[in-house]
Structures are given as structure tokens and as C-alpha cells.
Amino acid sequence: MADGAPALPEVVRELIARFGENLFTLQPTVDQVPTLWLPANRLHDVLRYLKNEVPKPYKMLYDLTAMDERLRKHRHGLPQADFTVIYHLLSIDRDIATRGKGDVRLKVALQGETPSLPTITNVYLNANWYEREVWDMFGIVFDGHPGLRRILLPPTWTGHPLRKDYPARATEFDPFYLDSLKQDMEQEALRFVPEDWGMKRGTDDHDFMYLNFGPNHPAAHGAFRVVLQLDGEEVVDCVPDIGYHHRGAEKMGERQSWHTYIPYTDRIDYLGGVMNNLPYVLALEKIAGIKVPERVQTIRVMMAEFFRITSHLLFYGTYAQDVGAMSPVFYMFVDRQKAYDVIEAVTGFRMHPAWFRIGGVAHDLPQGWDRKVREFLDWMPKRLDEYKKAAVENAIFKSRSRDVAAYDTASAIEWGVTGPGLRATGCNYDLRKARPYSGYENFDFEVPVFHKGDCYDRTLAREEEIRQSLRIIEQCLNNMPSGPYKADHPLTCPPPKERTLRDIETLITHFLDVSWGPVMPAGETSQMIEATKGINSYYLTSDAATMSYRTRIRTPSFAHLQQIPAAINGQMVPDLIAYIASIDFVMADVDR
């Protein structure tokens, strides 16, 4: 290393000491996540070292995705590649110890129209679905994968949508038709064949029953299908089947400007509202070099916590309903509407405000916002106390929840579980504490941690998180900074409205940013946040253009649903209903 050069990240030094510096190409990134390219034939050795041998190991495969590099112009100093497969690893122990330096990103360059590389499902179990997603979207083959088949699209689909030569708009496709013959063909393609999944139809003395749970069942919580292999009422095995809800949110990121894509982010976890805007705009502010005012940070925290409350209230009520209680959901919807009244008063909308902006928020807090917030803070705590008596302490609620679908911290990390589902196992890991963003380091709150890892503890975790969100909101109310609601930066989009009425230069910038879009510097950036259901993040690649070259959305629900067989096999069908409800997912958060 040359004199005066910045010190290499710890994980990079460890890898070079073990494998030599000639194996890796180090790539600088805006988000400062250590990013290394390596050849495919050494991938397994490096992954096993990082997972099992390095101090404070990288036990979680946080994300696995790919990129079509063929049209990318700004690739200076990077290995030649037609496609790149990207592995993002996370060490929770290292992250807590170093306050946000527990990531490493590995990249493998691939050549040709039908590239391939070995599967890593024999290193990380949760690579299964991620590799299927990459095959589905990019056509990259993973040799040795136990079941490489479509996961988001129908088995009859032609092409791989996230390739750059695949159309991005409906007008670019051939007309769609569905006559009776094609409908029959599509239905037959969905037939479940147990042998295709390595499952038996029975034993020597009796047959198993195969049952479709969903995709049209109220307890499936969306267009979600689980094929159950049953021995009586016991779940012997099951196959979660997603893909009924896919809308191409990542593909749409390649056709919308950086600014006009914001409303699409609201619809990912459609119960998370502006919580979904947050990682996207924070990632863009990194690459643009925008530092937002303290007032913006505090407003964002306050509104994000309001949406954490509305999401958790919906979980609370529907979970109680799924385990047999009819009344709580109606009471909790009343309180949810009271929270939405505050959200609407501030943003102008309820579920999908799309209110955060690059460099700030859409407008300043309105007159009387503090009174609306105070009314809600005075109302909600006593309601939570009533819910605790009516639901959490109810004998039936307890019997349907305790010791059901329990898993430990090691299993949660192996499957990529984050959020309340991880903290219910005794793991004290919350990004708002481990790597604070948007000023969370300035707030006094506790991270609820429980230890049995069952449905009951997952419920308790979210119930206590509502109380902590109220605590954070009260601090926002009492300590709201003064100042502007947008940063004074040329890439803030759009610029403050009042300035567009005063000078022509700002009016021109406003027109260009909204109609054409701001041009972000070339580079790669990402941002994780502690969203309503777990860790959500955006990994964005800019090619110095007005829109994203690659938009990767890592959502918690995708990882959580993959764990279902590991947690529920051997238990009863009613336990599956409780477990699915305790995951707290929405399918838009799964089928990107």
C-alpha cells in the first residue's frame, strides 16, 4: 500500500493475508462497502473462509443478485464482464462491534450469452431462492443447484426480464392473449408434481395428502401458495410458491428518472409508506453528496415511525384474528386510522404519500402538526394496555402461539431473517442502533429483545416496538429543529418551490429535474434501513445518466418466506396459519 493511501478495510486485509492480493480486484464504491472481484473457481473457498474461519464471521448471506453489464459505459478499472453475480455478506457481530462495518460485497465476472457458475447452496442455505431469482431474471445458470427453476415468473415464460435487451414497457411487447387452449396449458404448468421436488407420495403403509394452501386463502396474507405434504394434520414438508404478484419494480427503475421512481418505492412494502422512500433517497444522497438539514432528518424519522406503528397495528390485529380472536382487528384498525389522520395531515396522503424527496421532503410541516401528533401520543399508550389484556394475555392466544414455529438465532441468520423475527430469538440487532441513519443516534429508545423465537415472542417484539416508536415520535415532537425542509444542493430534486417563483435558473432546474431527471454521478451506492418487517435496502448503480442502470431492492419478506419449511415441518396445519401470520409479510415485498 502506497504511503498516504487510505487503510484497507479489515476484511480486505484478512482476505489478502489468506488468499494473496493477486486473487482480488478491489473496487471503490460510494457506500464504502468493501467490494472485491474474484474468479468463479475460488468463490467457494473465499465464502467458506468468510463464513467459518475469519474472526467475527460473515454468517449471513444478506443478498445475492446480478447485473447485465453489456450496456454500461462507466466501468473504469473493473474486470471485463457481460454479466456480474454479486454476493453481499453480513457479519452481525462485526457490525455491532464496528458500528456499521460488517459488510463485504463479492463479485464474479461472467462472459457469454448463457453464463454459469457453481451454486453456493452448499455454503449458504438461503442462496437457494436468490439463485433461482437470478436464473429467472438474468438466465445465469448455477451448476449443482438442487432445483433451478423459475421462482417469480410462470414456468412457461420466455426470456429473462432484467437483461438489457428485454423490453421495459408494455407497448414494446407483442399483444397478450389468453384463449382457452393457452389457459389450459398455463394451468397444467402449475400442477404440483411431488417427485420434481424430491418428495414421496407415501410410505409402505399409507399415502401422504398434498394440499394447496392458497394462493386464494385469507390466511395466506396475499397471493401466496404453499403446497403442503400432510400426514394427517402434520406438515411433513411444504413448498412455498411465490410469483403471483410480480410487477417488475426493479425493471421499472431502469426506465424512470431518479425522481419519478419515488412513488414506485411506496408500493414495495405497501404498508410501509414513506419508510420505503427512505433507503432509496438516502442512497441517492450518498452518491450525489447531499447533506440534508437536521430538520429533514427529524421529520423523516417521525414519519417513518408513524408507518412502523400502522404496519405493526395491522400485524397485531390480523395475527389475533388468525389465532381465533375476532374483535381485536376492529379496534386496531380504529387506531390505525387515527395514525393515518396524522400522516394525511402532514403529507396530504394516507397509505402511499411518496413524500420524501432527494435532499429533503416534499414540503414543510403544516401549521397544527404538533397538536395532531400530541393527540395521537396521548391516545395510543392506553389502547396498547387494553390490547395486552385482551389479546396477548388471553389464554387461547397464548396456547396458539407459544412454542409454535420456534427457531434460534443461528437458524434465523442462516436464512437471512432480520427485524422482529431475529430479535425474538435473543439477537439484539437493530440498524437504528448498530448503524444509525437519518439521525437515529440522537434518539433515546430501547430495542425490544425476546428469547424463545416463537410466534408469541414475535408478537411481543412488535407490540413493544410500537411503544418505542411512540417514544421516538414524542422526542421528534419536543425537539423538532428549525431550518429548511430541503438541502441547498444542485441535485436536490425538485428544488424548493418558493425559489422557483423568484429566479429563472431555479425554475429551469425544476423543469429539467422533473421532466428529464437529475444526472447522478457514475458509481454504486446502497443504503440499509430497519424497515417495518426487517432490513430493507436499495443497491443502485448509476451510469452518469438520468435514471438508474441497475436498481436492486433487497426486501426482508423474500428471505422470511424461504424459511417456512425449516420452521414448520413436523408441526400441525393450524400452527402453519399462526406461523405465516407471525412472519408479517406482504407479497409486494416478496415478488419484486
Side-chain angles (χ1 to χ4, degrees):
M1 188 170 62
D3 292 340
L8 293 174
E10 182 182 30
V11 64
V12 177
R13 298 197 303 271
E14 291 167 339
L15 286 169
I16 289 175
R18 172 66 175 80
F19 296 99
E21 61 182 345
N22 294 330
L23 184 68
F24 304 102
T25 299
L26 184 61
Q27 175 189 344
T29 58
V30 176
D31 58 13
Q32 297 183 339
V33 172
T35 302
L36 303 101
W37 296 71
L38 73 162
N41 62 355
R42 300 304 305 276
L43 177 64
H44 277 75
D45 296 335
V46 171
L47 289 177
R48 286 196 174 95
Y49 171 72
L50 289 171
K51 185 180 183 184
N52 301 317
E53 301 177 35
V54 73
K56 295 187 176 65
Y58 291 80
K59 291 293 186 181
M60 182 185 290
L61 174 65
Y62 173 74
D63 197 17
L64 193 169
T65 187
M67 186 187 306
D68 184 345
E69 303 267 10
R70 293 174 295 178
L71 299 183
R72 191 173 170 191
K73 299 175 182 177
H74 296 83
R75 298 191 73 257
H76 312 298
L78 303 182
Q80 179 61 38
D82 292 325
F83 296 89
T84 303
V85 178
I86 304 158
Y87 303 84
H88 189 151
L89 309 183
L90 177 63
S91 169
I92 290 177
D93 291 339
R94 190 175 296 224
D95 207 39
I96 294 172
T98 60
R99 202 168 176 82
K101 296 182 180 178
D103 302 273
V104 64
R105 190 181 289 135
L106 303 177
K107 293 187 175 186
V108 176
L110 302 174
Q111 308 289 339
E113 184 67 20
T114 55
S116 65
L117 75 168
T119 181
I120 66 161
T121 52
N122 51 358
V123 183
Y124 289 98
L125 290 177
N126 68 328
N128 189 310
W129 275 22
Y130 288 109
E131 289 182 349
R132 287 177 61 194
E133 181 188 20
V134 169
W135 149 246
D136 200 359
M137 296 291 106
F138 291 92
I140 297 171
V141 176
F142 292 90
D143 298 325
H145 188 284
L148 196 63
R149 50 174 63 85
R150 299 271 189 188
I151 187 169
L152 296 177
L153 293 170
T156 57
W157 198 267
T158 302
H160 304 283
L162 286 182
R163 289 191 173 207
K164 290 296 182 181
D165 53 6
Y166 197 91
R169 298 182 183 275
T171 53
E172 299 168 343
F173 285 89
D174 294 331
F176 177 80
Y177 71 95
L178 186 65
D179 57 23
S180 59
L181 182 63
K182 183 174 174 60
Q183 181 174 331
D184 290 343
M185 181 187 71
E186 296 289 347
Q187 291 286 355
E188 183 61 29
L190 292 174
R191 184 186 299 277
F192 184 80
V193 180
E195 290 80 5
D196 291 348
W197 296 88
M199 301 165 75
K200 296 181 179 180
R201 294 183 183 266
T203 65
D204 293 338
D205 57 354
H206 67 277
D207 294 334
F208 295 129
M209 180 172 69
Y210 285 88
L211 177 69
N212 275 302
F213 172 68
N216 297 305
H217 190 289
H221 290 258
F224 173 47
R225 173 195 190 200
V226 185
V227 182
L228 303 175
Q229 182 187 31
L230 299 177
D231 186 358
E233 285 194 61
E234 180 185 338
V235 179
V236 178
D237 201 355
C238 62
V239 177
D241 183 14
I242 62 175
Y244 295 89
H245 204 279
H246 188 67
R247 297 168 301 164
E250 292 183 357
K251 185 73 170 182
M252 285 187 264
E254 300 176 12
R255 73 176 201 198
Q256 301 297 131
S257 76
W258 299 107
H259 172 66
T260 59
Y261 189 67
I262 291 174
Y264 290 84
T265 67
D266 274 48
R267 275 82 180 169
I268 303 303
D269 168 11
Y270 51 74
L271 301 176
V274 297
M275 186 86 78
N276 296 289
N277 306 157
L278 191 53
Y280 179 73
V281 297
L282 287 176
L284 287 178
E285 285 160 7
K286 282 182 184 178
I287 202 167
I290 298 173
K291 181 175 175 57
V292 301
E294 288 185 7
R295 183 173 179 85
V296 170
Q297 289 188 333
T298 308
I299 291 173
R300 286 176 174 178
V301 166
M302 181 175 72
M303 300 315 297
E305 294 304 320
F306 261 106
F307 272 101
R308 193 183 309 278
I309 291 171
T310 60
S311 179
H312 282 1
L313 282 173
L314 182 64
F315 157 79
Y316 206 166
T318 54
Y319 179 79
Q321 189 173 48
D322 279 348
V323 296
M326 292 300 295
S327 299
V329 69
F330 297 105
Y331 290 97
M332 292 167 188
F333 262 70
V334 168
D335 295 336
R336 193 163 166 262
Q337 292 306 312
K338 287 186 177 292
Y340 276 133
D341 288 344
V342 182
I343 292 167
E344 184 179 26
V346 171
T347 69
F349 298 88
R350 293 175 82 83
M351 283 189 68
H352 302 135
W355 193 65
F356 292 174
R357 295 289 182 269
I358 304 168
V361 293
H363 53 75
D364 206 350
L365 294 171
Q367 278 190 332
W369 71 273
D370 49 346
R371 177 178 55 81
K372 298 285 288 185
V373 172
R374 173 57 64 192
E375 289 173 356
F376 183 77
L377 292 175
D378 291 341
W379 167 268
M380 197 65 227
K382 58 182 177 291
R383 297 283 284 187
L384 289 173
D385 294 339
E386 293 175 11
Y387 297 156
K388 195 163 189 177
K389 294 176 184 177
V392 174
E393 295 177 355
N394 180 280
I396 297 175
F397 190 103
K398 288 180 178 179
S399 65
R400 290 291 308 276
S401 304
R402 284 181 169 171
D403 301 319
V404 172
Y407 51 82
D408 59 15
T409 299
S411 178
I413 292 173
E414 181 66 37
W415 289 104
V417 174
T418 55
L422 175 61
R423 292 188 286 274
T425 68
C427 181
N428 189 350
Y429 184 66
D430 186 313
L431 286 185
R432 295 172 295 175
K433 292 283 190 182
R435 50 172 84 178
Y437 53 90
S438 195
Y440 269 108
E441 65 274 15
N442 301 321
F443 291 87
D444 180 25
F445 66 100
E446 303 299 324
V447 176
V449 177
F450 296 83
H451 298 279
K452 293 188 69 175
D454 58 8
C455 290
Y456 193 67
D457 277 9
R458 288 191 282 276
T459 304
L460 294 179
R462 292 183 178 90
E463 191 264 351
E464 182 57 32
E465 282 190 5
I466 295 175
R467 298 180 188 274
Q468 296 301 321
S469 291
L470 292 171
R471 188 174 167 187
I472 293 171
I473 291 170
E474 184 167 25
Q475 293 172 64
C476 293
L477 172 64
N478 295 335
N479 302 284
M480 181 62 67
S482 59
Y485 65 93
K486 278 186 180 173
D488 185 12
H489 189 282
L491 288 176
T492 294
C493 181
K497 185 68 175 178
E498 57 271 17
R499 289 181 56 185
T500 68
L501 303 176
R502 291 202 306 263
D503 58 86
I504 188 63
E505 291 81 6
T506 307
L507 181 62
I508 293 171
T509 299
H510 184 283
F511 177 80
L512 291 176
D513 282 355
V514 173
S515 60
W516 185 29
V519 178
M520 292 293 168
E524 297 178 17
T525 181
S526 69
Q527 176 68 46
M528 296 181 184
I529 69 157
E530 192 66 46
T532 62
K533 293 163 176 47
I535 297 179
N536 186 16
S537 65
Y538 277 77
Y539 172 38
L540 304 172
T541 301
S542 172
D543 206 27
T546 59
M547 61 190 69
S548 172
Y549 184 84
R550 172 77 173 102
T551 299
R552 171 59 177 173
I553 313 169
R554 192 278 184 188
T555 57
S557 297
F558 183 88
H560 296 172
L561 292 195
Q562 187 178 187
Q563 190 195 14
I564 287 176
I568 204 62
N569 289 356
Q571 299 188 52
M572 300 296 169
V573 173
D575 297 332
L576 173 68
I577 305 301
Y579 174 42
I580 284 178
S582 78
I583 295 173
D584 185 28
F585 64 91
V586 295
M587 289 311 297
D589 200 47
V590 180
D591 294 337
R592 293 175 296 279

